[in-house]
């Protein structure tokens, strides 16, 4: 359930874009009538309406996520605050300037912010961020924690570059598909690969801790 909650804005972005893409004229009219005050010039064109409507939806969905967590008396994760700030700034620029480039940059910037967090926490503060997040559930050698941490740094750096490659090399429709299926799929595959790597070292630790019977 938490995974679905975390990815809910992406699902809504995808769904809104696909619906509006299939009804561009209606989407442009709807956006101009109801969201014209948010757009420079007050008029939304048919070609840009799908992305603009999807961007509005993803901003509102992320705001709703934060509001829901606060209403339940829970702490909002730092990365969710960062995501909200980025989607508001980049999404707002996309809406105002009629330019989808801004919202296409948002995932890359978020990936790089997360990668920098993992990297700087280790390099500057001598704190393994991954260990701080899941260390209570796992017992691993310090060297393994460090390798895992930098694997995430490399993964986030790669994902940021890949997002921009798709955004600039293919159509917006292809980028939207990649944002949902490619991004989530690669994240899932990487997490599974890390799980397999971790399981080997957890097993090694358990075997090392066994005392030979007399």
């Amino acid at each position: 359930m938490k995974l679905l909650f975390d990815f809910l804005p992406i699902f809504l972005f995808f769904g809104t874009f696909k619906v509006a893409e299939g009804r561009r004229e209606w989407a442009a009219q709807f956006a101009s009538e109801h969201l014209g005050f948010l757009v420079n010039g007050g008029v939304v064109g048919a070609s840009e309406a799908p992305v603009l409507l999807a961007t509005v939806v993803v901003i509102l969905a992320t705001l709703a996520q934060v509001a829901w967590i606060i209403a339940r008396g829970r702490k909002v994760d730092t990365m969710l605050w960062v995501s909200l700030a980025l989607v508001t700034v980049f999404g707002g620029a996309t809406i105002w300037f009629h330019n989808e480039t801004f919202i296409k940059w948002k995932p890359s910037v978020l990936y790089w912010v997360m990668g920098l967090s993992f990297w700087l926490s280790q390099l500057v503060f001598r704190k393994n961020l991954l260990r701080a997040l899941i260390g209570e559930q796992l017992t691993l050698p310090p060297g393994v924690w460090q390798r895992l941490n930098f694997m995430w740094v490399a993964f986030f750096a790669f994902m940021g570059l890949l997002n921009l490659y798709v955004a600039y090399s293919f159509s917006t429709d292809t980028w939207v598909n990649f944002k949902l299926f490619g991004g989530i799929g690669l994240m899932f595959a990487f997490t599974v690969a890390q799980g397999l790597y971790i399981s080997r070292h957890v097993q090694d630790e358990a075997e090392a801790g066994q005392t030979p019977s007399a």
Side-chain angles (χ1 to χ4, degrees):
M1 288 301 294
K2 186 180 184 305
L3 189 63
L4 290 175
F5 180 77
D6 290 341
F7 287 117
L8 180 61
I10 298 178
F11 293 137
L12 292 175
F13 181 92
F14 177 85
T16 303
F17 178 87
K18 290 299 181 180
V19 170
E21 181 74 3
R23 305 173 63 187
R24 286 191 173 195
E25 295 300 330
W26 170 86
Q29 182 179 354
F30 179 88
S32 297
E33 290 179 0
H34 299 282
L35 303 172
F37 66 97
L38 296 174
V39 180
N40 185 23
V43 178
V44 178
S47 62
E48 62 205 31
V51 170
L52 264 64
L53 287 175
T55 300
V56 171
V57 168
V58 79
I59 293 173
L60 293 176
T62 309
L63 279 169
Q65 278 186 319
V66 172
W68 174 254
I69 294 172
I70 293 175
R72 298 186 67 188
R74 297 184 178 181
K75 181 181 177 182
V76 180
D77 292 339
T78 301
M79 280 301 130
L80 182 54
W81 283 119
V82 173
S83 182
L84 175 60
L86 291 175
V87 78
T88 301
V89 171
F90 286 88
T94 283
I95 296 167
W96 178 253
F97 293 110
H98 306 242
N99 192 335
E100 63 192 32
T101 300
F102 294 103
I103 197 63
K104 287 181 176 180
W105 268 84
K106 182 264 176 181
S108 291
V109 174
L110 181 60
Y111 284 131
W112 292 335
V113 167
M114 291 190 291
L116 279 173
S117 298
F118 277 77
W119 181 54
L120 292 177
S121 64
Q122 182 75 50
L123 185 67
V124 179
F125 302 105
R126 303 298 179 187
K127 179 181 179 181
N128 188 298
L129 190 56
L130 185 64
R131 186 173 187 175
L133 292 172
I134 62 173
E136 293 183 0
Q137 289 80 38
L138 292 171
T139 300
L140 296 170
V144 174
W145 280 117
Q146 186 171 354
R147 286 194 292 274
L148 290 171
N149 195 69
F150 283 112
M151 285 179 191
W152 278 104
V153 173
F155 175 74
F156 286 134
F158 166 76
M159 288 298 294
L161 292 173
L162 181 60
N163 174 71
L164 291 183
Y165 170 74
V166 175
Y168 282 99
S169 301
F170 300 94
S171 66
T172 299
D173 185 64
T174 300
W175 174 77
V176 170
N177 291 334
F178 168 77
K179 182 177 169 65
L180 177 63
F181 301 108
I184 295 178
L186 288 171
M187 180 72 73
F188 178 76
F190 180 74
T191 303
V192 170
Q194 280 226 329
L196 294 174
Y197 177 76
I198 289 172
S199 66
R200 185 181 69 184
H201 289 280
V202 169
Q203 184 178 6
D204 291 344
E205 281 285 293
E207 292 174 354
Q210 291 179 353
T211 303
S213 56

